[in-house]
Amino acid sequence: SKQAGKKKGGKGRGGKSQPQKTQAPFVVDPQALVRLAEFRKTEPGRDGANMPYDSYQDMWDKFVVAKSENQRENWYQKSEDYWKDIDSTIDGMLGGLGEVSDNDIAGSTEFLRPFLNGRSKRKVKSGSALDVGAGIGRISKLLLSRFFDSVDLLEVTQKFLDFAKKDLANIEQIKNFHCSSMQDFAFPTQYDVIWIQWVIIYLSDDDFVAFFTRCREALTETGIIVVKDNVTNAGFILDVADASVTRSEAHLRLLFEASGLKVMEDKVQPHFPKDLFPVKMFALCPMGQ
């Protein structure tokens, strides 16, 4: 995972292929898309320099659309360029906050374990997991490989994957390394758990819904998506340095709903520094399940 915790108001950071099963087409409630569209036009936000924006849509129009003809490509290129200059270390992945890694893994373990041992609402199999925004493989190494027979990594920065291939070479559960962005990734197989940590801040709302829809379709019958990321109490925060947006929990829940996903469990990550954004974990499954 990359990007441990951005400081509040500051610039800190934070297997074998299985055959695809045929699923009945899922149709998202049109009202979910209406609610998301309305929210985008009404919730205010700001950037790290306290430049205010009337809404997420206002920010997108002013910061992205007005500054670029190839708006989508340039938005993502800025964040990719940012990460190319970051060291392939845990401290680099966590924005200089490598000391939070142990507490992070402990919190994630506590959140994930009930789904695997049958003590949660949904019994998840321990066959396969995908680590999204894997960076150098910190989560694959310290968390997912402990619980799953097969772990794949998805990461857009090639040098991080090159490091991970060497660092994780002796862990037999680590299988495939996919160098791709989230918005362009085509799932090659299905997964019991898709773990997405400290990386959704780089997706536009439209690409968020498209990617999470593909995640939903790539789950096994009892699979879940786990999202772990910074949240604001209200309003969004734009970081112009790496083209990222930290959203409110209300915004995230509308995005999940628009992707055909429901929140089964959620929990705040404990024992993190007080000057960081709150970090929240969400366990998601397809609506209707």
Side-chain angles (χ1 to χ4, degrees), residues 37-81:
E38 286 302 311
F39 190 87
R40 286 165 54 102
K41 297 175 185 176
T42 56
E43 186 190 46
R46 60 180 175 82
D47 65 17
N50 281 321
M51 162 80 84
Y53 293 98
D54 293 337
S55 66
Y56 179 93
Q57 191 63 55
D58 176 50
M59 178 277 295
W60 191 259
D61 291 342
K62 289 178 179 175
F63 181 72
V64 183
V65 177
K67 294 188 176 183
S68 167
E69 292 182 5
N70 301 313
Q71 46 194 267
R72 181 176 181 270
E73 293 78 4
N74 285 6
W75 170 262
Y76 290 117
Q77 192 60 52
K78 189 162 188 174
S79 60
E80 289 180 26
D81 289 346

Side-chain angles (χ1 to χ4, degrees), residues 94-250:
L94 300 183
L97 294 169
E99 67 273 12
V100 307
S101 183
D102 288 348
N103 281 337
D104 169 60
I105 295 298
S108 297
T109 300
E110 184 179 342
F111 188 71
L112 176 62
R113 186 173 275 136
F115 289 99
L116 299 173
N117 64 20
R119 293 180 183 174
S120 186
K121 300 172 185 175
R122 190 174 178 91
K123 176 68 168 69
V124 176
K125 296 178 182 177
S126 57
S128 59
L130 176 67
D131 182 359
V132 176
I136 61 172
R138 181 183 70 94
I139 289 172
S140 291
K141 179 180 183 178
L142 301 177
L143 176 72
L144 300 177
S145 65
R146 293 162 43 206
F147 293 104
F148 295 92
D149 300 331
S150 169
V151 179
D152 292 351
L153 284 71
L154 172 62
E155 169 56 46
V156 72
T157 306
Q158 185 64 56
K159 74 171 186 178
F160 295 156
L161 278 186
D162 291 341
F163 181 94
K165 287 177 184 178
K166 295 177 182 177
D167 189 49
L168 310 181
N170 295 325
I171 302 177
E172 62 179 359
Q173 291 87 351
I174 305 297
K175 304 298 182 185
N176 299 301
F177 298 82
H178 301 291
C179 188
S180 172
S181 65
M182 292 177 285
Q183 65 272 17
D184 295 325
F185 185 60
F187 284 83
T189 186
Q190 292 184 309
Y191 295 95
D192 295 307
V193 167
I194 299 174
W195 192 279
I196 308 172
Q197 181 165 345
W198 282 323
V199 72
I200 57 173
I201 58 175
Y202 297 109
L203 287 171
S204 70
D205 272 14
D206 291 345
D207 285 328
F208 187 116
V209 171
F211 177 67
F212 274 73
T213 297
R214 295 198 303 278
C215 287
R216 171 173 53 78
E217 294 168 349
L219 289 175
T220 58
E221 191 171 355
T222 59
I224 60 171
I225 300 165
V226 177
V227 174
K228 185 171 185 178
D229 220 302
N230 304 334
V231 295
T232 68
N233 292 320
F236 63 86
I237 307 292
L238 166 69
D239 188 334
V240 299
D242 63 353
S244 67
V245 177
T246 302
R247 298 171 173 91
S248 64
E249 181 174 341

